[in-house]
Amino acid sequence: MLSRTADHLFWMARYTERAENTARMLDVHVQTALLPQSTDDAEQGWRAVLGISELLYGYNQKYDKLTQKDVIDFMVRDPNNPSSIASCLRQARENARAVRGALTTEAWEIQNATWIKMQSYLQTNALEQSPGDFFEWVKHRSHLSRGVTIGTMLQDEAFHFIRLGTFLERADNTARIIDVKFHGAGEAQSQKQKQKQSPQGQSQSDEDGGQIDFYYWAAILRSVSGFEIYRKVYRDVITPERVAELLILRPDMPRSLLACVAQVASNLKHVHNDVSADTERFAGKLHADLEFARIEEILDAGLHDYLTVFLERIFELGNRVSRDFLVPLAA
């Protein structure tokens, strides 16, 4: 396959997945923002949302203060933000248009119709009136794109480059969500411990804190469609350690780091060429490290440090895929 064709297919999938991941993150945070919290905590939460996607600098360049409305507008509508949902869906459509001959009619029409509908959303106040409905629509269109790809396309190199893009993007995003959310949970726990130093009303505080903890961890699971899966696997209360295990090491959890890297390694084998052996070996080692890891060891060594290294390796893997198969990235 021509590297330019592979490049368009790969990035079409990455942008579609990125739009969905952004919608998931914003949807859950809009819901958790309704929980009792101080103004400072609310602002810190939205700052973390920007930090997950490395958009804090770009936001601060455009806005003087941080508000929920401006963050949502920046991450949904802003055409100058390359990671906004509107920009991602536009780029996905443009990449699909460039290789229409490599896609089935259904796969192309999904991308085109999604962008056309997105245009109508941008011209109305539907996002302001019901952000949850809009985010559900974005997720649904991404699900539809993947389903049509699996259900209508020949499983040739074009198909495998699409899958490569999907799972590389998903692995990166899941790792960022885990890192930022667990860091936020650690800060919240420290604040709760300080409040407990006052014995008055401690029982009520503990009860309220337990409820907020439940909704916090449930929201994290819902952001990766993992709430029902958690209940089925563990059949017990939600704990941070089990959430981390589910999202990092469960091979049967579709958005876990292990499941994503397994798919990347598998699809790389299907597009093997004369120069890709080192990249396949790199992906295989990352997969093996996850497959044989234990959550206790990860947490003892430090979750943030572990995820930082993982993100570096995923970034390197994406660069290797670009080098071996796609149009080289500009230096």
Side-chain angles (χ1 to χ4, degrees):
M1 174 178 287
L2 292 175
S3 61
R4 187 165 296 279
T5 300
D7 188 81
H8 284 302
L9 293 167
F10 177 84
W11 283 104
M12 176 194 76
R14 288 203 73 155
Y15 281 121
T16 301
E17 183 72 19
R18 190 173 300 175
E20 178 189 349
N21 290 329
T22 301
R24 285 175 174 275
M25 187 166 46
L26 289 172
D27 188 23
V28 169
H29 206 77
V30 166
Q31 296 177 36
T32 55
L34 300 176
L35 294 173
Q37 57 185 318
S38 68
T39 303
D40 288 344
D41 287 342
E43 181 176 320
Q44 186 60 38
W46 286 108
R47 194 177 301 279
V49 169
L50 290 167
I52 289 176
S53 303
E54 299 183 357
L55 295 174
L56 192 56
Y57 176 80
Y59 179 90
N60 289 334
Q61 291 293 104
K62 182 171 182 178
Y63 298 96
D64 294 329
K65 61 180 181 178
L66 195 149
T67 66
Q68 174 175 316
K69 179 182 180 300
D70 288 341
V71 171
I72 292 177
D73 194 71
F74 182 68
M75 296 187 70
V76 173
R77 299 177 182 272
D78 197 331
N80 296 317
N81 171 13
S83 294
S84 71
I85 292 176
S87 293
C88 287
L89 294 181
R90 176 176 58 81
Q91 289 290 342
R93 189 255 186 189
E94 289 304 307
N95 278 284
R97 185 174 63 85
V99 288
R100 286 184 61 177
L103 299 171
T104 59
T105 300
E106 294 90 341
W108 155 248
E109 287 180 348
I110 288 297
Q111 295 291 342
N112 193 44
T114 298
W115 172 242
I116 292 172
K117 179 63 175 176
M118 181 70 192
Q119 291 287 84
S120 68
Y121 267 117
L122 295 176
Q123 295 167 6
T124 68
N125 63 348
L127 176 62
E128 289 76 14
Q129 289 183 339
S130 183
D133 289 345
F134 171 78
F135 296 138
E136 283 298 324
W137 175 81
V138 174
K139 289 186 281 184
H140 173 74
R141 298 305 294 187
S142 181
H143 297 329
L144 196 57
S145 177
R146 276 195 304 276
V148 166
T149 298
I150 294 171
T152 68
M153 286 191 63
L154 179 68
Q155 294 191 14
D156 57 1
E157 286 187 332
F159 174 86
H160 292 298
F161 277 115
I162 291 172
R163 301 292 280 171
L164 263 177
T166 294
F167 288 106
L168 272 172
E169 185 67 32
R170 186 179 295 179
D172 180 272
N173 185 264
T174 298
R176 291 178 187 276
I177 288 176
I178 298 169
D179 193 18
V180 173
K181 293 298 186 182
F182 270 75
H183 180 68
E187 291 183 344
Q189 187 65 29
S190 298
Q191 186 66 28
K192 192 191 302 183
Q193 292 298 328
K194 292 179 182 179
Q195 293 174 353
K196 282 186 178 181
Q197 293 176 0
S198 173
Q200 295 181 350
Q202 183 172 330
S203 177
Q204 182 64 39
S205 176
D206 287 348
E207 182 178 344
D208 293 343
Q211 291 175 350
I212 291 175
D213 278 349
F214 171 81
Y215 286 116
Y216 182 87
W217 293 113
I220 293 174
L221 290 169
R222 287 193 175 97
S223 72
V224 290
S225 296
F227 183 75
E228 290 83 2
I229 294 175
Y230 184 98
R231 288 301 197 197
K232 183 175 292 186
V233 170
Y234 297 106
R235 302 177 183 275
D236 203 347
V237 297
I238 300 176
T239 66
E241 294 78 11
R242 287 173 175 172
V243 172
E245 181 180 53
L246 183 73
L247 301 187
I248 296 174
L249 301 180
R250 288 288 304 195
D252 47 0
M253 164 62 184
R255 290 182 172 270
S256 74
L257 302 188
L258 176 55
C260 291
V261 172
Q263 286 288 338
V264 170
S266 174
N267 282 282
L268 273 173
K269 293 178 182 178
H270 289 285
V271 295
H272 172 88
N273 63 22
D274 294 338
V275 298
S276 65
D278 281 345
T279 298
E280 292 176 56
R281 191 156 41 244
F282 187 89
K285 187 175 186 307
L286 179 55
H287 178 228
D289 289 345
L290 283 163
E291 187 174 19
F292 296 105
R294 294 177 61 85
I295 194 61
E296 296 83 4
E297 296 170 352
I298 293 174
L299 295 177
D300 288 344
L303 183 61
H304 174 70
D305 291 341
Y306 178 87
L307 292 171
T308 298
V309 172
F310 177 84
L311 285 167
E312 291 172 354
R313 295 174 76 182
I314 280 291
F315 181 75
E316 172 63 18
L317 182 54
N319 285 341
R320 286 170 177 259
V321 170
S322 295
R323 180 195 67 195
D324 294 346
F325 302 104
L326 312 179
V327 176
L329 297 174

